Amino acid sequence: MAAARDAPLYLGFDFSTQQLKVVAIDENLNVVHQNNVQFDSELPEYRTNGGVHIHADGLTVTSPVLMWVKALDLLLDKMKGAGFAFSRVRALSGSGQQHGSVFWRRGASETLQNLDPDQDLHQLLQVSFSVCQSPVWMDSSSTRQCEDLQAAAGGAMRLAELTGSRAYERFTGNQISKVRQTRPEDFLNPERISLVSSFAASLFLGGYAAIDFSDGSGMNLLDIRSKDWSEICLDATAPQLGRLLGAPVPSTSVLGPVSSYFVQRYGFSESCRVVAFTGDNPASLAGMRLQQGDVAVSLGTSDTVFLWIQQPSPALEGHVFCNPLDWRAFMALLCFKNGSLTRERIRNESTGGSWELFSLALRDTPLGNNGHMGFYFDSMEITPPAVGVHLFDPDDNKVSSLSPQVEVRALVEGQFLSRRLHAERLGYSITPGTRVLATGGASSNKDILQVLSDVFNAPVYTLDVSNSACLGSAYRALHGTMSQSVASFFDVVKKAPEAQLVVTPHPAAQQVYDQMLQRYARLEERSCRKPAPEPH
Ligand SMILES: O=C(CO)[C@@H](O)[C@H](O)CF
């Protein structure tokens, strides 16, 4: 038993929109510990809703950076209270919600290097940030900055070719421009600018952590082919920005040993390594061990559809990021902002807050919903760039409401028809061999997955851990401790539990949804299309 007591463990953290999560695995890839801190309920002093503050303009969305710091204090204390053996942790890695930005105040590096182990992190870092309300991925207030960046790059398509995406409001470069232009006093003295992922890695490292290629691809600043900052984009965003960001690194990099703060306060081993943190979606790709040909659907605060691609094919819709597991490959991603928060709103309004009744409504309504359809863009949607709720009867007439059970199916079918439509527009072809791998909170609801399977006309698989970003981060921590020449990521994690088949499409699904998809496209064009921001 002594061996088991000393057997190495690997940690994966996920600083996501609504919570901070952690998963611990052993060297056989078994999950031996999971924990989390919910921002709204466990850190009420920050008064967030869904982990964020939506500002009065309805477009600006931020999160208190010190809330993320305090959540880490709470989480590690919870793990300590549960008797977690930090001394067995051989390596740790993590992920963060993509695109969010953290502005470290001058002198913060000194503070990070000299953390007093007798105090909480959130006490020690109280005055270490020059922007206390960090812009996050739900923000859509930087349209002007997007237009300026596209003009500087030579247009939307040129920028997409260079950085993997046209300009998007939530992308970090445009957010940095907005902070510099609207809050010049906060931009006077940043010593460093991090993503949420590299900010979190910095806490563990006790110094500024580099931005990795994969999460760095979500900034409209990184040249996804050269894997370095684009001088055109840096110059168009802020002076000295390259120095503030630091040089980007491969996502597989080992950044260094964990800070002595964690050794002395929690009992981590001095030899515990910190492997570069990355974005939540790249980490999910790792956690799902996504292979070419699979399509991943993450059903979280945002819904995302992503897959592994060998060559970049940027477009005016969707994104191409550097691949987190193989620096020569890429990943394609579509993001839909109105995900779980919208599902929760309809659950609250149509089924009294009950997921059981939500599921019953799906089971009690027919495929195709007798022709009733809906677009539910509670906040400005990313894909397509549109806002508002639009409901239709079987004859394409707009209606003002639907009965509760019909509304539930209209929401879920509408969300998945949108995911499929925009995925197929980007060339994601759903072939007979396609597996849909589902993750995220809603992937634990079999009735929601049945609709996903029917709309995509493909079998849906899930992992037994709904948080693939944490799992992927723990896998990446394990992989990081092995010399890259010896073992590929897939060799290292080949013993991981296989994704389990959960649902297969209804026999009538293809005929119903192939036809419904065309109608959805037509109605979306009619009701929602807004041109992407064009250069001046
Ligand atoms: O904006 C997104 C991806 O581009 C979202 O999926 C965030 O990563 C969610 F945290």
Side-chain angles (χ1 to χ4, degrees):
M1 281 312 286
R5 254 204 313 277
D6 306 332
L9 297 176
Y10 303 87
L11 286 180
F13 294 86
D14 181 29
F15 287 71
S16 68
T17 312
Q18 300 186 55
Q19 57 183 320
L20 169 58
K21 295 163 274 189
V22 67
V23 158
I25 61 171
D26 63 20
E27 55 191 345
N28 296 315
L29 309 175
N30 301 309
V31 173
V32 297
H33 184 90
Q34 296 187 65
N35 223 316
N36 68 70
V37 171
Q38 299 287 331
F39 300 140
D40 293 358
S41 55
E42 299 186 64
L43 291 164
E45 62 269 36
Y46 293 97
R47 294 195 305 282
T48 53
N49 184 3
V52 300
H53 291 136
I54 298 180
H55 295 216
D57 65 5
L59 297 175
T60 303
V61 184
T62 61
S63 289
V65 58
L66 279 168
M67 176 181 75
W68 296 331
V69 176
K70 192 166 184 181
L72 183 57
D73 287 327
L74 274 185
L75 184 65
L76 293 172
D77 288 346
K78 277 187 178 184
M79 293 172 76
K80 192 173 182 179
F84 182 77
F86 291 103
S87 59
R88 291 172 54 191
V89 177
R90 187 70 55 81
L92 65 90
S93 188
S95 60
Q97 53 175 295
Q98 291 190 256
H99 318 300
S101 46
V102 173
F103 296 76
W104 298 90
R105 183 188 300 278
R106 194 179 310 285
S109 177
E110 185 71 20
T111 305
L112 278 173
Q113 288 166 33
N114 299 288
L115 295 169
D116 172 2
D118 294 331
Q119 293 192 60
D120 288 333
L121 284 170
H122 82 277
Q123 293 296 347
L124 293 163
L125 298 173
Q126 275 296 326
V127 295
S128 296
F129 304 101
S130 59
V131 173
C132 298
Q133 285 287 342
S134 278
V136 294
W137 68 276
M138 292 173 70
D139 185 288
S140 47
S141 65
S142 61
T143 302
R144 185 160 61 78
Q145 289 75 16
C146 288
E147 291 164 352
D148 293 345
L149 179 62
Q150 285 185 156
M157 199 56 220
R158 269 293 303 136
L159 184 65
E161 278 297 330
L162 185 61
T163 69
S165 303
R166 68 167 171 81
Y168 280 89
E169 282 76 2
R170 70 189 193 282
F171 275 41
T172 325
N174 307 304
Q175 292 294 333
I176 293 170
S177 286
K178 185 187 160 216
V179 170
R180 185 173 69 85
Q181 292 165 11
T182 60
R183 305 172 51 157
E185 69 288 354
D186 290 337
F187 208 80
L188 271 182
N189 57 6
E191 185 175 69
R192 181 83 174 207
I193 300 175
S194 298
L195 293 175
V196 175
S197 56
S198 55
F199 143 80
S202 304
L203 299 179
F204 285 104
L205 206 54
Y208 293 140
I211 290 172
D212 77 297
F213 293 161
S214 196
D215 205 16
S217 314
M219 303 172 77
N220 275 149
L221 295 175
L222 188 80
D223 179 330
I224 57 170
R225 291 175 179 81
S226 72
K227 315 297 195 233
D228 202 351
W229 302 123
S230 152
E231 288 304 326
I232 294 171
C233 296
L234 292 184
D235 295 346
T237 302
Q240 303 294 320
L241 186 53
R243 180 180 56 76
L244 290 173
L245 295 173
V249 297
S251 307
T252 52
S253 305
V254 177
L255 301 178
V258 73
S259 154
S260 59
Y261 174 84
F262 295 92
V263 175
Q264 292 162 36
R265 187 172 176 87
Y266 294 102
F268 278 87
S269 159
E270 287 178 348
S271 61
C272 173
R273 324 300 291 166
V274 178
V275 175
F277 283 36
T278 190
D280 55 351
N281 294 293
S284 283
L285 180 141
M288 298 164 92
R289 297 184 296 152
L290 208 66
Q291 311 262 1
Q292 277 203 294
D294 293 337
V295 176
V297 178
S298 175
L299 301 171
T301 312
S302 68
D303 285 355
T304 55
V305 176
F306 54 87
L307 37 67
W308 182 302
I309 55 175
Q310 284 303 115
Q311 292 304 325
S313 50
L316 291 181
E317 193 172 66
H319 315 288
V320 175
F321 299 144
C322 299
N323 190 292
L325 302 177
D326 177 346
W327 65 271
R328 294 155 302 186
F330 298 85
M331 68 179 278
L333 180 136
L334 278 165
C335 181
F336 304 85
K337 185 189 293 189
N338 294 281
S340 63
L341 297 177
T342 307
R343 288 187 286 270
E344 286 163 19
R345 176 177 72 82
I346 297 299
R347 175 205 64 185
N348 295 339
E349 293 176 8
S350 299
T351 59
S354 158
W355 284 122
E356 292 69 36
L357 293 178
F358 190 94
S359 286
L360 187 61
L362 291 175
R363 292 198 296 272
D364 285 355
T365 45
L367 277 68
N369 210 14
N370 294 320
H372 295 91
M373 286 179 76
F375 302 89
Y376 292 82
F377 304 138
D378 290 357
S379 52
M380 175 56 80
E381 184 47 79
I382 295 164
T383 316
V387 66
V389 176
H390 310 267
L391 308 176
F392 300 91
D393 72 8
D395 301 318
D396 291 359
N397 302 308
K398 287 205 82 169
V399 293
S400 58
S401 66
L402 296 171
S403 66
Q405 290 212 326
V406 170
E407 174 119 87
V408 167
R409 178 165 281 271
L411 164 72
V412 179
E413 282 186 341
Q415 287 186 325
F416 293 150
L417 283 164
S418 175
R419 280 60 169 149
R420 178 179 162 189
L421 173 70
H422 292 281
E424 290 186 350
R425 276 198 184 141
L426 269 186
Y428 309 175
S429 49
I430 311 289
T431 62
T434 294
R435 293 191 315 165
V436 174
L437 272 67
T439 185
S443 69
S444 57
N445 182 315
K446 189 172 177 180
D447 299 289
I448 290 176
L449 295 187
Q450 184 61 62
V451 180
L452 175 62
S453 180
D454 291 340
V455 169
F456 275 67
N457 191 34
V460 175
Y461 295 74
T462 60
L463 298 167
D464 61 0
V465 177
S466 69
N467 176 23
S468 54
C470 276
L471 196 59
S473 298
Y475 289 166
R476 292 173 58 250
L478 169 59
H479 180 231
T481 58
M482 302 182 174
S483 95
Q484 310 303 310
S485 58
V486 165
S488 80
F489 175 84
F490 288 99
D491 292 339
V492 167
V493 299
K494 64 175 177 289
K495 292 185 292 187
E498 288 301 328
Q500 299 300 311
L501 175 63
V502 177
V503 286
T504 56
H506 187 281
Q510 180 167 16
Q511 190 256 329
V512 170
Y513 293 110
D514 283 1
Q515 186 184 349
M516 203 167 180
L517 193 68
Q518 305 315 319
R519 185 171 165 233
Y520 180 93
R522 192 174 70 252
L523 289 173
E524 182 188 272
E525 198 59 34
R526 189 180 95 187
S527 330
C528 307
R529 178 63 53 197
K530 177 183 102 176
E534 281 306 317
H536 289 314

